[in-house]
Amino acid sequence: MTDLDATEQRLLALLEPYREGLVEGTIYGMPSLAWPGAAKQDYLVAWKQASRQVSLYLLPVLAHPDVLEAAGEGVRAAQTGKVTFGFREVDEELAGQLSDFLGVLARRYRADHTG
């Protein structure tokens, strides 16, 4: 297993608590998790391993940019685009920050779909 494989596995483990009630799919060939019946461009997360990092695409950041204010420094440093976050490795501190951030995003995403 390469370091990026380990990073991807760590990120997927952090996503595990938020899978309940979501369906797996793909967007632009990337695996994703979305609300059942949601439009293709309405997913909680998609991910992709590239040559230098593993990227998470966290679409709810577009609808709720205020969540970034509460994100930990490590999460903010990993932001490479509006909804893109790139990780070469995930240490314990970053894992904790990311877990908290994903929890907030998942709650907001679910609230958007359940009213």
Side-chain angles (χ1 to χ4, degrees):
M1 181 184 307
T2 68
D3 290 342
L4 287 178
D5 289 337
T7 297
E8 182 173 18
Q9 291 308 307
R10 182 76 185 265
L11 292 171
L12 293 177
L14 291 171
L15 291 171
E16 195 61 35
Y18 312 107
R19 286 180 176 269
E20 186 176 335
L22 301 179
V23 294
E24 292 185 22
T26 58
I27 180 82
Y28 305 118
M30 297 180 293
S32 65
L33 294 173
W35 193 257
K40 189 170 187 126
Q41 294 289 339
D42 184 16
Y43 53 87
L44 171 64
V45 60
W47 59 93
K48 178 181 179 180
Q49 185 179 136
S51 61
R52 294 178 171 253
Q53 67 182 14
V54 180
S55 295
L56 292 182
Y57 301 86
L58 301 168
L59 198 62
V61 170
L62 283 179
H64 306 287
D66 59 297
V67 299
L68 288 170
E69 295 170 14
E73 185 177 315
V75 172
R76 287 191 309 271
Q79 189 172 19
T80 60
K82 285 185 180 181
V83 301
T84 309
F85 297 80
F87 304 93
R88 291 187 179 152
E89 60 185 0
V90 180
D91 62 18
E92 288 303 314
E93 183 177 348
L94 181 55
Q97 290 178 19
L98 189 53
S99 179
D100 292 344
F101 184 62
L102 290 169
V104 170
L105 277 182
R107 283 190 295 278
R108 300 287 287 274
Y109 180 76
R110 287 180 190 280
D112 288 346
H113 291 86
T114 59

